[in-house]
Amino acid sequence: MKFLAFCLLLLTMQARGATNAELEAQVESLTQRVQKLERLLSEVMEARGAEAREVVATTSHQAASAKPVATKPAAAGSSLKMGGRVKLDVIANSVSVGGTGGQNRGDVALFPNAIPLTASGEDHQLSGNARDSRLWVNATNSTDYGDLGAYIELDFGSYDNSGNERVSNSHNPRIRHAYATYGGFTVGQTTSTFQNMIAFPEINEANGP
């Protein structure tokens, strides 16, 4: 830039017959103006750079402190789970509560009305069973509107006097839960919505102490 300005000034001065002193004065003036322009340009560029660095820093801070955007979870596919428990109950009672071991309700839970008032039939017996054992199956499948699930749970705690001691002490299975869930709805057999299960104490005997 300095060289072009100098050439133009030189041609102009030569065209009108300027002296060497005039040429030097004009060159000095032009040099000062060019230096001033360069300083102004440098200040502008520095200010723009600082402004750009501030924008970058602000954007980086916002990106670092931004909360993740909730997105719809990816479909997890299908799953099938099985589980349960094995529980053994051993009961010492009297045959006067209603028959031989394993065939009456007194072998499963305490019923005050079955307590005999006389000494009749007070032959004590010891019996055991695994009727409170449970088996459950839980299946789920992901859909566009939520998980579709199915749950079934069985035990053998029915009071239908189906057990006997002739062959295998067998008892009929009993459905505790059998329901499906979809889109926040539950349909089927399970604990009532109006029953607060948290209020039930943790006891060993599900039918009561």
Side-chain angles (χ1 to χ4, degrees):
M1 181 180 294
K2 292 181 179 180
F3 180 75
L4 292 177
F6 176 77
C7 291
L8 290 174
L9 179 60
L10 183 60
L11 292 174
T12 303
M13 296 299 290
Q14 288 179 347
R16 62 189 185 93
T19 62
N20 291 335
E22 290 177 340
L23 288 175
E24 291 177 357
Q26 291 293 336
V27 169
E28 181 64 21
S29 176
L30 184 58
T31 301
Q32 293 177 359
R33 294 176 60 184
V34 169
Q35 291 176 350
K36 184 177 180 180
L37 288 174
E38 287 179 344
R39 286 195 302 270
L40 291 175
L41 181 60
S42 178
E43 291 175 359
V44 170
M45 294 299 292
E46 185 176 356
R48 289 290 179 88
E51 188 174 286
R53 288 191 295 272
E54 183 178 357
V55 171
V56 171
T58 303
T59 304
S60 300
H61 175 71
Q62 292 175 350
S65 60
K67 296 181 179 179
V69 179
T71 57
K72 184 178 179 181
S78 302
S79 67
L80 179 65
K81 300 179 180 179
M82 300 181 63
R85 75 181 188 189
V86 177
K87 179 181 176 183
L88 174 65
D89 288 326
V90 179
I91 304 101
N93 65 358
S94 172
V95 295
S96 61
V97 300
T100 59
Q103 296 191 43
N104 57 80
R105 296 196 301 171
D107 289 336
V108 180
L110 173 64
F111 295 94
N113 61 343
I115 298 176
L117 300 179
T118 66
S120 175
E122 284 298 292
D123 294 328
H124 294 284
Q125 64 182 4
L126 182 68
S127 62
N129 66 78
R131 297 171 65 178
D132 201 22
S133 299
R134 299 176 184 178
L135 173 66
W136 57 261
V137 178
N138 185 21
T140 59
N141 184 47
S142 299
T143 68
D144 293 338
Y145 299 97
D147 289 340
L148 173 63
Y151 183 87
I152 184 169
E153 182 176 319
L154 306 173
D155 69 2
F156 305 90
S158 61
Y159 294 131
D160 58 1
N161 295 330
S162 61
N164 63 76
E165 298 176 342
R166 299 171 188 165
V167 179
S168 62
N169 284 325
S170 57
H171 292 277
N172 291 335
R174 179 181 67 169
I175 293 179
R176 301 189 71 252
H177 301 279
Y179 61 86
T181 57
Y182 184 68
F185 291 93
T186 301
V187 180
Q189 174 181 315
T190 186
T191 305
S192 171
T193 308
F194 302 98
Q195 189 171 10
N196 184 13
M197 298 301 295
I198 301 178
F200 283 71
E202 293 289 339
I203 55 178
N204 183 54
E205 178 54 61
N207 296 309

